[in-house]
Amino acid sequence: MLKSILLFFLFFPLLLISQNEKLSVEKLQQDLFVFKEIREKANSGIYKYRTKPQIDSIYSWAFSQIKQPKTLLDFYKIILKITDFEGSLHNDTTLPDDFQTKYSSGNVFFPYPVKLIENKLVINFQNSEIPLGSQILSINKIETYKLLKDFEKYYTTDGYNITGKSIGIGSSFAKYFEMEYGPQNKFTIEYFLPNKTKKLKKTIAAVSNEIRKQNFKNRHSLSLDSLQYSRAKNKYSFRIISKNTALLSVHTFVIGRNAKDKEHLVYKKYLDSCFDYLSKNNEIKNLIVDVRNNGGGTDPNDIVTFSYLAQKPYRENAFAYVNFQEIPFAEYLVYEETELQKKQEEKKDFEDELKEEFPKQEKGKYIQDEKFNQLLQPDKNNFKGQVYLLISPRIASAGSLFASLVTGNTNAIVIGEETMGGYFGHNGHTPIEYELPNTKIKTQFSIVNLEQDVPKKTNQIFGRGIIPDHEVKQTFEDFMQNRDIQMEYTLKLIE
């Protein structure tokens, strides 16, 4: 299996080269050309949301930006814009591993966690300098709307979705600021106090990365959003919350690596016991399924979970394909192995798997064999009452596939906010990673272009996340009181 790395905004790479060192136009153009060729040949999702003229246009823009030597960071930002423009949350472009820590060392970070509430950027930390809940208007004379627009490229989402970018803003605002505008010694902030309209100004000192991380761990909203930014110790739970209502929470689908994994089998047994109980208890007419923290995971956890809610036969995908059986531009691949012979074996194993799962070529696409996408049946203890599905911008990948199947193929009432993962499909399943020859920037994407087995619905829009039936967002007052307004709304709806 080719190397799969974690998203750079969660684990920022070490920096070893001077930020002021510039690379030649020739080297940058070569890397940009290689990047373009790789994505056109290997990335089956390159034209999923953008037309060929649109993709050609952004590359024309990118080449126009490197008429003169540039620093690695400046070139990296150009590559990030292209990566984000394609529209896949599985796209991941990272700086080279050996790029210098010097860039991020010392007291250079914005000190306080922030959060987007009602399209306003507010302080999400109790402190003595700028009160909790204060609305940020500008930082170092850069207005908030520009900050947020500049930061969008650092966190990829499916299609044209921007709600999911709030997850990146919430977790990595200080890192984005440093990347975009350089290290800062201090920050001059213009802001409104909570529920006030008088503009105030204050200059605060920058802090180290260690203090930044500690402040984030102590953010005001921790009690509600802790599972959105870290792995849950209890990945799933089930409880009866009233005489007629039960709650199933599944915070992740990282529950074992495959169908034979012990952790997955334990999860399957747990679901069996929960839904066996529900099938025997006629009083429980309502089931709340909370996947608001679910950023994805592995098969078949998502599909198995859906089997307990399905009312008719279903498939994981309506259609899936890849662009190749033999890996293009293999000389730029990133391997798990280091020895040449083992690299060759790794490449061959990968290609053999592709040929088995995607054996038939049609119109330049290698189509998934039906044995890898069989017609599945609802579980014998499937729930037949009313389902309430809670969703949020955090939901992605396998999480959004599950939520799409529930939204499209059951009677579920969907409550919350638009997901970052698409309703109709995404690129996923199989990641591949390349390294550019001169800058050593790495780029990873998933190669399987899939359409999810969901019907067209009037409120679901191509290129967007799953749209809830009842949009329920946290207000400023809800934020200050840490109220779970979506759960409260659902319980009132049931009553």
Side-chain angles (χ1 to χ4, degrees):
M1 175 64 71
L2 295 174
K3 182 180 178 185
S4 175
I5 61 173
L6 293 173
L7 300 178
F8 92 95
F9 42 77
L10 296 180
F11 297 95
F12 192 67
L14 299 180
L15 308 171
L16 282 175
I17 299 173
S18 168
Q19 70 178 98
N20 297 317
E21 182 179 335
K22 293 188 176 181
L23 294 100
S24 70
V25 171
E26 181 182 11
K27 287 183 177 181
L28 295 176
Q29 287 181 339
Q30 182 188 3
D31 273 17
L32 182 56
F33 180 78
V34 168
F35 183 85
K36 181 176 185 287
E37 289 286 293
I38 285 171
R39 301 189 90 84
E40 287 180 340
K41 296 289 193 303
N43 185 4
S44 61
I46 189 171
Y47 303 122
K48 193 175 185 78
Y49 302 107
R50 307 294 184 182
T51 64
K52 189 176 188 307
Q54 286 175 322
I55 293 294
D56 290 344
S57 177
I58 196 169
Y59 277 103
S60 295
W61 165 82
F63 277 107
S64 75
Q65 299 300 300
I66 48 175
K67 299 296 186 184
Q68 297 180 348
K70 283 191 174 294
T71 65
L72 178 59
L73 280 175
D74 285 339
F75 179 70
Y76 176 61
K77 292 172 190 176
I78 293 171
I79 295 292
L80 281 182
K81 276 201 169 185
I82 301 171
T83 305
D84 179 52
F85 185 73
E86 286 179 356
S88 174
L89 59 85
H90 290 104
N91 283 358
D92 179 24
T93 299
T94 60
L95 286 162
D97 295 337
D98 62 350
F99 199 63
Q100 190 53 286
T101 53
K102 181 178 177 182
Y103 182 72
S104 292
S105 63
N107 297 331
V108 296
F109 289 102
F110 188 80
Y112 302 134
V114 297
K115 191 167 184 176
L116 280 170
I117 302 292
E118 298 179 313
N119 296 318
K120 298 172 183 176
L121 190 68
V122 302
I123 296 291
N124 187 17
F125 185 75
Q126 193 73 250
N127 69 94
S128 59
E129 294 182 305
I130 301 179
L132 170 70
S134 295
Q135 180 188 345
I136 297 173
L137 305 175
S138 70
I139 301 176
N140 290 353
K141 297 184 179 180
I142 307 166
E143 294 186 11
T144 297
Y145 79 89
K146 185 179 188 310
L147 290 174
L148 298 178
K149 194 67 181 174
D150 288 344
F151 291 172
E152 284 185 359
K153 62 180 173 287
Y154 292 101
Y155 197 101
T156 57
T157 52
D158 277 350
Y160 319 118
N161 172 278
I162 60 172
T163 62
K165 295 179 183 294
S166 64
I167 301 298
I169 297 295
S171 64
S172 302
F173 181 85
K175 291 182 179 181
Y176 294 171
F177 198 102
E178 187 214 21
M179 285 285 292
E180 189 66 21
Y181 306 116
Q184 310 288 318
N185 295 319
K186 58 186 178 180
F187 299 92
T188 299
I189 303 164
E190 291 184 313
Y191 63 98
F192 292 149
L193 290 172
N195 298 315
K196 304 292 183 182
T197 56
K198 180 182 178 181
K199 186 183 292 186
L200 302 176
K201 182 185 289 189
K202 192 166 185 73
T203 299
I204 60 176
V207 299
S208 67
N209 198 34
E210 290 71 27
I211 293 176
R212 178 200 68 81
K213 289 190 289 187
Q214 190 60 42
N215 286 348
F216 183 72
K217 289 178 182 178
N218 293 319
R219 64 192 180 279
H220 167 72
S221 64
L222 179 66
S223 61
L224 279 187
D225 62 21
S226 62
L227 298 179
Q228 293 190 355
Y229 300 108
S230 62
R231 290 189 177 180
K233 293 180 180 178
N234 298 318
K235 297 181 178 181
Y236 47 89
S237 64
F238 176 83
R239 62 190 177 96
I240 307 302
I241 58 177
S242 74
K243 66 179 181 180
N244 66 352
T245 303
L247 169 64
L248 174 67
S249 299
V250 186
H251 303 304
T252 180
F253 285 127
V254 183
I255 312 173
R257 296 185 177 184
N258 53 52
K260 297 180 180 179
D261 191 288
K262 182 179 178 181
E263 189 179 6
H264 167 77
L265 295 174
V266 170
Y267 175 58
K268 175 68 167 64
K269 186 176 181 180
Y270 183 84
L271 289 176
D272 282 338
S273 64
C274 296
F275 283 89
D276 179 64
Y277 174 85
L278 289 176
S279 69
K280 294 174 180 176
N281 190 326
N282 295 327
E283 288 189 353
I284 299 178
K285 306 294 184 183
N286 307 293
L287 176 63
I288 302 171
V289 180
D290 185 358
V291 289
R292 288 176 292 174
N293 302 303
N294 198 315
T298 55
D299 286 337
N301 297 298
D302 48 355
I303 301 304
V304 165
T305 308
F306 178 65
S307 72
Y308 293 94
L309 304 176
Q311 304 301 315
K312 60 183 180 180
Y314 64 97
R315 299 181 190 274
E316 179 175 7
N317 309 317
F319 181 72
Y321 70 90
V322 296
N323 274 5
F324 61 87
Q325 289 180 329
E326 295 182 359
I327 300 172
F329 303 102
E331 65 270 31
Y332 302 119
L333 276 176
V334 176
Y335 294 89
E336 288 184 342
E337 303 292 345
T338 55
E339 296 178 15
L340 177 59
Q341 183 177 347
K342 290 185 176 180
K343 284 183 178 180
Q344 292 172 340
E345 292 172 357
E346 186 181 329
K347 178 176 177 290
K348 182 179 182 303
D349 290 344
F350 187 83
E351 291 175 339
D352 286 346
E353 290 176 8
L354 288 181
K355 289 171 184 175
E356 181 183 6
E357 184 171 353
F358 303 91
K360 185 179 179 182
Q361 187 179 27
E362 295 179 7
K363 298 180 180 179
K365 301 173 182 177
Y366 292 93
I367 310 302
Q368 185 181 48
D369 190 278
E370 189 170 319
K371 70 180 181 182
F372 292 91
N373 186 35
Q374 296 180 3
L375 188 67
L376 304 171
Q377 301 295 324
D379 189 87
K380 64 180 181 180
N381 288 323
N382 63 328
F383 184 71
K384 296 179 175 62
Q386 180 61 60
V387 174
Y388 297 83
L389 180 69
L390 302 188
I391 63 172
S392 80
R394 181 67 186 94
I395 296 175
S397 192
S400 58
L401 189 149
F402 168 80
S404 295
L405 292 177
V406 176
T407 300
N409 299 317
T410 75
N411 71 341
I413 297 171
V414 186
I415 298 164
E417 298 181 69
E418 180 184 352
T419 65
M420 79 166 87
Y423 171 78
F424 288 101
H426 63 275
N427 260 60
H429 291 306
T430 307
I432 192 170
E433 187 179 28
Y434 290 91
E435 183 178 86
L436 301 182
N438 298 311
T439 59
K440 304 303 178 184
I441 288 172
K442 292 188 178 72
T443 184
Q444 179 179 287
F445 49 91
S446 290
I447 64 173
V448 182
N449 191 329
L450 59 94
E451 295 177 15
Q452 287 155 189
D453 186 22
V454 294
K456 291 183 178 179
K457 299 183 75 174
T458 55
N459 66 328
Q460 302 300 332
I461 306 164
F462 180 77
R464 295 278 299 276
I466 300 160
I467 308 296
D469 300 313
H470 299 257
E471 185 179 55
V472 182
K473 295 182 177 182
Q474 194 178 47
T475 66
F476 178 75
E477 292 304 321
D478 296 331
F479 163 74
M480 293 298 285
Q481 297 173 32
N482 268 329
R483 290 179 60 200
D484 187 349
I485 189 62
Q486 292 159 353
M487 183 62 77
E488 290 180 17
Y489 182 94
T490 304
L491 296 175
K492 287 179 181 178
L493 199 62
I494 291 172
E495 289 175 7

